[in-house]
């Protein structure tokens, strides 16, 4: 007897995505939506069609590093996969980076850009990684105001012409640590009036890029982050040879295996200062904030892909006499995942809106502070949500979800990087605390949340609003108490605190959209998502303390 199971299929990923279309209808002015819609339809069609098919065919390909040519020359050539080659061209042509810098739609340009990225990401094997770096590098160079480098690189990083388009790497991590960047050991020396870098980079993104931003310590500078400087590097010389950079090996990673992540030796690499010879961490921060936003968008995109496939499969797969899509328990599981995606999506795109306002010079001081605080909060929350949602999503296929040639397990493996790279959950929790300290506490965030919720009238949403406000009140009280108890208490609770902020703000955003969707679309789906998201929990703060942590962490 043949055993036949129909594989899941994807339709137009823009047309099929009610949540995305509903959000864009609320946020974008009518003329902006009309202008960007054809490009989104086009990307949605490709994401669910041509690119997805190519991705399945290309499944087993991985980037290949060739260190030497036949004649003994060190070449360090990396051949990327067919999907990546296609993705690079498409990304340039469709303006995946450019849209943010052309500013055709002023403060909404970031919404335009990241809506495209949201559709593009899951069908291009994390090509969003080099795009994130490219976008971040353009923003960091502009923020530094270095006219020579802006003239040399930014026009290329933001080009729509695939022949001119450059991508950028971001080389920070060293063996001393990926989180504590101040421990960077790479040295910068001035030789014949030009800077040269010497050191080892342990985990470098987007090594096929034409340039990179990196940190190194000019000789004689003090230890720590302030003693580092931000440098611009071009990866190849005019003959196309590696620019005194050795690619030692590609990393053997759990996921993101299409992304050529490498270990490098910088052996006198020519480099140029971006913004003075110190305070490198501060100067690279604009890049970090952009790449963290890409991370949040990528988390949403992967969740959406897992759900789109799971929903289609549920309509086809018949068990115990009915399609899974008619089984209450299966539906309940998928609804829970959709609610988490809904919260992640609204928080992420709220950050995207703030970033757009900031880029366009239209953000108030309060909005700049919110952007600074919510960027790490969104990244850390959505990264964790993606791992949980993708784990459930592949489980919803039963055994098929665990089998490689369905193309499903890779979703979970790729999702697992999202809470790790660009700052782990814990490091970003501490970063959020620093941002709040600079903002003078939670007052601005609570004001903003109150503003978001002021139009809510539907009784369930009113109850949800009260829960949001209670969770933020509790968070504020927890912080005040922990600060009295000392730094160990603050640090021990930082993740629960940051997660609580993230869940509260995202729930407020979902509630606000749910009210709008009821009134303007007569649609109760976001309301259902709000109820479910609230039921999953808002506050994670509990009366646990650092002494408990020390007791429980001990072994033996
Ligand atoms: C799909 C897309 C995904 C992309 C894939 C990428 C793969 C690439 C692989 C990687 O490279 S991952 C590398 C990830 N590593 C990190 O993200 C670093 C994580 N660690 C941190 O973020 C730490 O918080 C940090 C290194 C920044 C702490 O270092 P320090 O030396 O203790 O810095 P400090 O004192 O906190 O900040 C120094 C200055 O920078 C301060 O300004 P001032 O000089 O004016 O006082 C800070 O305010 C500022 N700063 C730090 N973080 C900032 C920031 N400003 C704005 N935004 C931030 N996020």
């Amino acid at each position: 007897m043949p055993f036949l199971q129909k594989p899941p299929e994807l339709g137009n990923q823009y047309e099929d995505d009610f949540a995305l279309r509903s959000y864009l209808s609320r946020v974008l002015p009518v003329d902006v939506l009309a202008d960007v819609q054809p490009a989104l339809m086009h990307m949605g069609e490709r994401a669910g069609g041509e690119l997805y098919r190519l991705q399945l065919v290309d499944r087993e390909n991985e980037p290949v590093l060739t260190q030497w040519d036949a004649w003994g020359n060190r070449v360090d050539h990396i051949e990327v996969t067919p999907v990546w080659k296609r993705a690079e061209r498409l990304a340039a042509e469709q303006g995946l980076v450019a849209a943010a810098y052309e500013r055709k739609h002023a403060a909404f340009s970031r919404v335009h850009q990241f809506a495209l990225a949201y559709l593009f990401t899951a069908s291009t094997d994390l090509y969003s990684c080099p795009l994130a770096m490219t976008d971040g590098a353009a923003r960091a160079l502009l923020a530094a105001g270095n006219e020579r480098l802006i003239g040399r690189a930014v026009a290329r990083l933001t080009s729509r012409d695939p022949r001119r388009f450059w991508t950028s790497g971001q080389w920070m991590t060293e063996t001393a640590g990926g989180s504590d960047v101040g421990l960077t050991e790479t040295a910068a020396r001035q030789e014949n009036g030009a800077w040269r870098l010497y050191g080892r980079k342990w985990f470098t993104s987007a090594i096929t890029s034409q340039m990179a931003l990196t940190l190194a310590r000019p000789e004689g500078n003090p230890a720590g982050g302030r003693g580092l400087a931000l440098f611009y590097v071009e990866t190849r010389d005019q003959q196309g040879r590696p620019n005194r950079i050795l690619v030692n090996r590609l990393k053997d990673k759990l996921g993101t295996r299409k992304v050529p992540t490498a270990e490098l030796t910088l052996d006198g690499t020519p480099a140029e200062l971006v913004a003075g010879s110190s305070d490198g961490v501060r100067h690279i921060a604009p890049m970090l904030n952009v790449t963290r936003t890409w991370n949040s968008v990528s988390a949403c995109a992967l969740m959406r892909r897992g759900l789109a496939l799971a929903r289609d499969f549920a309509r086809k797969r018949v068990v115990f006499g009915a399609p899974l899509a008619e089984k209450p328990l299966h539906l309940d599981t998928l609804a829970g995942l959709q609610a988490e995606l809904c919260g992640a999506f609204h928080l992420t795109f709220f950050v995207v809106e703030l970033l757009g306002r900031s880029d366009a010079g239209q953000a108030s001081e309060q909005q700049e502070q919110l952007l600074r605080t919510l960027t790490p909060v969104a990244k850390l929350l959505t990264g964790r949500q993606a791992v949980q949602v993708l784990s459930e999503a592949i489980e919803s296929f039963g055994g098929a979800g665990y089998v490689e040639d369905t193309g499903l397990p890779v979703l979970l493996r790729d999702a697992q990087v999202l809470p790790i790279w660009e700052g782990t959950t814990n490091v970003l929790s501490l970063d959020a605390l620093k941002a709040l300290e600079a903002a003078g506490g939670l007052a601005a965030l609570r004001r903003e949340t109150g503003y978001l919720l002021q139009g809510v009238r539907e009784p369930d949403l009113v109850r949800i609003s009260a829960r949001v406000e209670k969770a933020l009140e509790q968070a504020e009280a927890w912080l005040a108490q922990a600060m009295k108890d000392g730094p160990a208490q603050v640090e021990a609770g930082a993740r629960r605190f940051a997660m609580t902020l993230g869940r509260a703000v995202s729930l407020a955003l979902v509630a606000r959209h749910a009210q709008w969707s009821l009134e303007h679309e007569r649609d109760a789906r976001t309301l259902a998502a709000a109820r479910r998201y609230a039921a999953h929990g808002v506050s994670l703060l509990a009366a646990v303390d650092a002494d408990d942590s020390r007791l429980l962490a001990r072994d033996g």
Side-chain angles (χ1 to χ4, degrees), residues 217-442:
R217 194 175 311 282
E219 269 183 330
N221 271 18
R226 293 204 192 286
L228 295 172
L230 178 59
F231 283 94
Y232 166 88
V233 164
E234 289 188 10
T235 53
R236 302 255 156 194
D237 65 16
Q238 285 182 342
Q239 284 71 45
R241 293 173 307 214
N243 223 352
R244 309 285 296 262
I245 298 166
L246 300 172
V247 181
N248 301 328
R249 59 176 167 164
L250 296 183
K251 290 289 195 186
D252 187 6
K253 295 169 290 176
L254 170 70
T256 67
R257 295 189 66 91
K258 312 281 183 167
V259 183
T261 308
E263 287 170 28
L264 304 179
T265 297
L266 307 182
D267 184 23
T269 309
E272 209 171 317
L273 284 171
V274 173
S277 57
S278 65
D279 296 303
V281 171
R282 189 193 328 136
H283 293 306
I284 206 169
M287 181 172 201
L288 297 183
N289 291 333
V290 166
T291 57
R292 286 169 185 171
T293 304
W294 275 86
N295 204 90
S296 303
V297 173
S298 300
C300 295
L302 290 193
M303 286 189 255
R304 160 76 193 146
R305 174 56 47 88
L307 263 157
L309 292 169
R311 283 210 190 92
D312 187 68
F313 188 68
R315 284 192 287 271
K316 292 170 172 163
R317 175 75 167 140
V318 175
V319 284
F320 302 115
L324 278 172
E326 290 171 21
K327 297 281 178 191
L329 181 52
H330 196 77
L331 284 180
D332 184 84
T333 306
L334 295 189
L337 304 186
Q338 178 62 33
E340 287 301 306
L341 168 58
C342 192
F345 177 91
H346 281 281
L347 180 59
T348 297
F349 273 82
F350 185 60
V351 171
V352 165
E353 288 168 45
L354 291 169
L355 181 61
R357 293 188 74 83
S358 174
D359 280 357
Q362 291 176 13
S364 64
E365 196 184 334
Q366 177 172 319
Q367 286 168 330
E368 289 288 356
Q369 285 170 352
L370 272 176
L371 173 63
R372 172 70 185 94
T373 307
L374 291 180
T375 300
V377 167
K379 193 281 188 188
L380 71 91
L381 179 63
T382 59
R384 296 288 346 142
Q385 285 171 312
V387 175
Q388 285 155 9
V389 165
L390 269 311
S391 173
E392 278 284 1
I394 69 168
E395 185 181 334
S396 78
F397 289 85
Y402 201 63
V403 171
E404 289 292 349
D405 58 4
T406 60
L408 295 167
V410 68
L411 287 168
L412 178 57
R413 281 201 303 273
D414 284 355
Q416 182 62 66
V417 85
L418 296 164
I420 297 176
W421 67 10
E422 293 312 304
T424 61
T425 311
N426 285 0
V427 167
L428 289 178
S429 301
L430 299 173
D431 184 55
L433 275 174
K434 285 186 202 167
L436 274 176
E437 197 184 325
L442 258 72

Side-chain angles (χ1 to χ4, degrees), residues 416-527:
Q416 182 62 66
V417 85
L418 296 164
I420 297 176
W421 67 10
E422 293 312 304
T424 61
T425 311
N426 285 0
V427 167
L428 289 178
S429 301
L430 299 173
D431 184 55
L433 275 174
K434 285 186 202 167
L436 274 176
E437 197 184 325
L442 258 72
L445 195 122
R446 291 193 65 186
R447 256 197 316 278
E448 180 69 22
T449 317
Y451 168 74
L452 291 173
L453 293 170
Q454 71 188 4
V456 157
R457 275 179 293 282
E458 210 284 329
D460 276 357
L461 295 176
V462 171
R463 277 189 283 279
I464 283 170
S465 304
R467 278 196 66 191
V468 167
E469 274 162 8
K470 186 153 175 264
L472 289 177
E473 195 182 303
Q474 198 187 348
E476 200 167 30
W478 174 84
L479 186 59
Q481 185 57 45
M483 283 170 76
K484 278 191 205 140
D485 294 344
Q489 297 294 342
V490 178
E491 181 170 328
R495 177 198 277 243
R496 283 184 291 274
F497 173 74
M499 290 276 200
T500 300
L501 295 190
R503 289 200 71 85
V505 176
S506 51
L507 182 56
L509 290 160
V510 174
R512 188 256 305 252
H513 189 76
Q515 183 68 46
W516 180 90
S517 188
L518 286 172
E519 287 169 12
H520 294 81
E521 301 175 315
R522 295 186 182 286
D523 198 297
R525 277 178 279 188
T526 316
L527 168 63

Side-chain angles (χ1 to χ4, degrees), residues 55-89:
Q55 211 178 14
L56 291 177
V57 172
D58 197 30
R59 190 178 59 80
E60 287 181 309
N61 277 325
E62 291 190 358
V64 176
L65 166 64
T66 304
Q67 289 174 313
W68 304 95
D69 75 4
W71 309 100
N73 299 303
R74 185 78 192 230
V75 288
D76 285 348
H77 173 74
I78 295 167
E79 186 69 16
V80 297
T81 62
V83 168
W84 264 50
K85 287 182 187 159
R86 180 82 191 86
E88 177 167 0
R89 198 182 167 81

